[in-house]
């Protein structure tokens, strides 16, 4: 019986399609140096070496994908050279048990020395750029800008487990989807946690979409996010939104949303030597705050087709509750993000991004301005040259002066795919 089972398993695997993706990338970078020492140079140089191995198993309505990309960083090679390593991995499983139903289970992991300004935390294929622990610049399609930590590099952990389900069982033009998961991220040792506190908690969201026509749709969504921080802060954000999307023309589309968020937050206790007294005579303690905050979004996308300069651009703005992962505070904040990408022929791609964010509604918080330009030149199907520049200006109430960071890099990527 055991032999029959092994034979069946062997036949099943042999009938499946197994593909591989092997890549290697080398980046050389110059950047502003954050070393506070008086004799430290104002400019530093780094080199990153990132090999990538990806495997995919597809069999009928099931697919398994595994990616591993360790990044070896040779930091400050002209002044105080040191080696930093971060391990980056992703495991995903897709299953379509029947028509109209799809399930996806994914696990993302980052572990090691991470510079949150000069590196993308999850540089793996098929990333959506929305991970809050990713690069501290506007993600593709818009998203929250995150102020920079004071520390240059932190010993960092990021783990996100997500289960997603989508179904069209409700009928033609209807789409029901939801996801649930648990994430943990932040510094692993004392100095790292002072720069980026450990943050963990569950999340849940569900959405119902209905196509009003072939050009427009409405979506009702509910999300719940709970976060606890190693500093003692914690918050729960429950959001109800109504969204609307419409394709105005073949080249232009609009999206808008309005809703409300209920925020229950507790800030980290202060470190005052003589804490104020509460009305009953004991030391004062932080009291949870219950707030009702607006959730407004609007974006417009435009496409200009061309064989020599195909352009895709988007402009997005929103006013939403912002959870600062460095302090654990929650406050209403406005974000404005502008992105654009050009395909200059079949081999050259240029993209740019810019954004700003600031507290609104009388709240106090960080101000940040962020921008960058990147370009890729595909020498062949498997080889490309990549260039990237980015800069961030930030002003925090907790810091005595504003900070300006910049970096410019040039890289070479080699990739090979095939069937095993």
């Amino acid at each position: 019986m055991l032999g029959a089972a092994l034979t069946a398993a062997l036949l099943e695997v042999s009938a499946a399609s197994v593909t591989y993706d092997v890549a290697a990338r080398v980046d050389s970078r110059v950047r502003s140096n954050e070393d506070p020492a008086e004799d430290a140079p104002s400019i530093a140089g780094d080199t990153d070496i990132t090999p990538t191995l990806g495997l995919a198993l597809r069999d009928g309505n099931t697919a398994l994908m595994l990616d591993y990309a360790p990044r070896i960083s040779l930091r400050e090679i002209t002044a105080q050279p040191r080696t930093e390593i971060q391990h980056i991995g992703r495991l995903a499983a897709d299953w379509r048990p029947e028509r109209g139903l799809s399930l996806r289970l994914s696990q993302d992991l980052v572990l090691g020395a991470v510079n949150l300004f000069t590196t993308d935390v999850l540089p793996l294929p098929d990333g959506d750029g929305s991970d809050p622990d990713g690069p501290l610049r506007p993600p593709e399609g818009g998203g929250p800008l995150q102020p920079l930590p004071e520390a240059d590099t932190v010993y960092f952990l990021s783990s996100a487990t997500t289960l997603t389900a989508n179904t069209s069982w409700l009928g033609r033009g209807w789409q029901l989807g939801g996801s649930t998961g648990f994430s943990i991220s932040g510094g692993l040792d004392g100095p790292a946690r002072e720069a980026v506190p450990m943050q963990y908690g569950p999340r849940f969201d569900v959405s119902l979409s209905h196509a009003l026509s072939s050009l427009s749709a409405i979506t009702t969504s509910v999300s719940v996010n709970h976060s606890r921080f190693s500093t003692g802060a914690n918050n729960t954000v429950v959001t109800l939104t109504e969204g609307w999307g419409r394709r105005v023309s073949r080249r232009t589309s609009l999206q808008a949303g309005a809703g409300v968020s209920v925020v229950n937050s507790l800030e980290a206790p202060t470190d005052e030597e003589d804490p104020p007294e509460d009305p009953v005579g004991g030391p004062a303690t932080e009291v949870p705050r219950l707030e009702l905050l607006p959730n407004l979004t609007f974006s417009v996308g435009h496409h200009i087709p061309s064989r020599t300069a195909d352009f895709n651009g988007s402009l997005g703005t929103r006013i939403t509750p912002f959870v600062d992962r460095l302090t654990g505070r929650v406050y209403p904040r406005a974000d404005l993000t502008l992105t654009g990408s050009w395909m200059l022929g079949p081999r050259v791609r240029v993209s740019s991004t810019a954004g700003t964010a600031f507290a609104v509604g009388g709240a106090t918080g960080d101000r940040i301005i962020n921008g960058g330009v990147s370009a890729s030149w595909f020498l062949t199907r498997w080889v490309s040259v990549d260039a990237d520049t980015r800069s961030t200006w930030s002003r925090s109430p907790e810091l005595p002066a504003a900070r300006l960071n910049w970096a410019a890099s040039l890289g070479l990527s080699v990739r090979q795919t095939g069937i095993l």
Side-chain angles (χ1 to χ4, degrees), residues 5-341:
L6 292 175
T7 301
L10 180 61
L11 291 175
E12 183 71 17
V13 172
S14 62
S17 171
V18 181
T19 59
Y20 69 90
D21 186 339
V22 179
R25 175 166 176 161
V26 179
D27 291 276
S28 294
R29 180 191 309 109
V30 292
R31 59 176 173 84
S32 57
N33 192 5
E34 297 299 305
D35 191 340
E38 294 183 359
D39 57 345
S42 59
I43 299 177
D46 308 322
T47 295
D48 291 341
I49 302 172
T50 310
T52 303
L53 174 62
L55 294 174
L57 171 65
R58 293 178 173 84
D59 181 17
N61 59 1
T62 304
L64 296 175
M65 291 152 286
L66 174 65
D67 295 288
Y68 175 58
R71 176 183 277 120
I72 304 170
S73 299
L74 309 178
R75 306 273 296 171
E76 301 184 24
I77 55 179
T78 60
Q80 298 178 345
R82 64 184 188 274
T83 301
E84 298 173 351
I85 300 176
Q86 59 178 274
H87 302 276
I88 307 167
R90 173 179 293 137
L91 176 64
D94 292 334
W95 183 38
R96 297 180 180 272
E98 56 184 280
R99 186 177 181 180
L101 176 63
S102 63
L103 301 173
R104 180 181 179 89
L105 177 64
S106 64
Q107 171 65 51
D108 297 298
L109 178 67
V110 177
L111 176 64
V114 174
N115 183 291
L116 295 179
F117 175 69
T118 60
T119 62
D120 297 340
V121 174
L122 293 174
L124 293 175
D126 302 325
D128 60 8
S130 63
D131 191 336
D133 303 319
L136 303 186
R137 52 178 174 166
E140 293 183 6
L145 303 179
Q146 171 63 57
L148 298 170
E150 291 188 62
D152 178 52
T153 300
V154 296
Y155 191 50
F156 190 83
L157 166 69
S158 175
S159 174
T161 305
T162 305
L163 175 63
T164 305
N166 290 282
T167 180
S168 56
W169 284 349
L170 297 181
R172 184 177 180 180
W174 291 89
Q175 186 74 28
L176 176 64
S179 67
T180 184
F182 186 89
S183 61
I184 179 171
S185 64
L188 284 177
D189 54 20
R193 289 192 181 185
E194 291 182 3
V196 184
M198 182 65 73
Q199 172 188 353
Y200 60 93
R203 62 190 185 280
F204 170 80
D205 67 82
V206 61
S207 64
L208 177 63
S209 300
H210 178 56
L212 301 177
S213 68
S214 60
L215 299 177
S216 64
I218 58 172
T219 302
T220 303
S221 59
V222 179
S223 65
V224 181
N225 290 272
H226 177 71
S227 300
R228 301 188 68 89
F229 293 80
S230 57
T231 58
N234 67 79
N235 58 74
T236 301
V237 181
V238 181
T239 302
L240 172 64
T241 58
E242 189 71 23
W244 170 78
R246 178 174 178 81
R247 181 171 293 278
V248 180
S249 67
R250 296 180 60 184
R251 300 185 179 183
T252 305
S253 60
L254 299 176
Q255 288 190 345
V260 65
S261 297
V262 180
V263 180
N264 185 27
S265 61
L266 177 67
E267 294 189 6
T270 59
D271 295 329
E272 299 177 359
E273 295 183 0
D274 298 316
E277 298 293 321
D278 66 9
V280 297
T285 58
E286 299 292 342
V287 178
R289 297 174 57 188
L290 185 63
E291 300 176 280
L292 200 63
L293 301 180
N295 199 304
L296 306 172
T297 62
F298 177 80
S299 65
V300 55
H302 188 64
H303 177 217
I304 302 178
S306 172
R307 292 184 178 181
T308 57
D310 190 87
F311 171 76
N312 277 286
S314 66
L315 172 65
T317 182
R318 64 186 199 169
I319 299 177
T320 56
F322 173 69
V323 180
D324 191 327
R325 65 160 296 104
L326 304 183
T327 65
R329 294 181 56 238
V330 183
Y331 56 88
R333 198 178 70 155
D335 290 82
L336 177 65
T337 305
L338 178 65
T339 63
S341 63

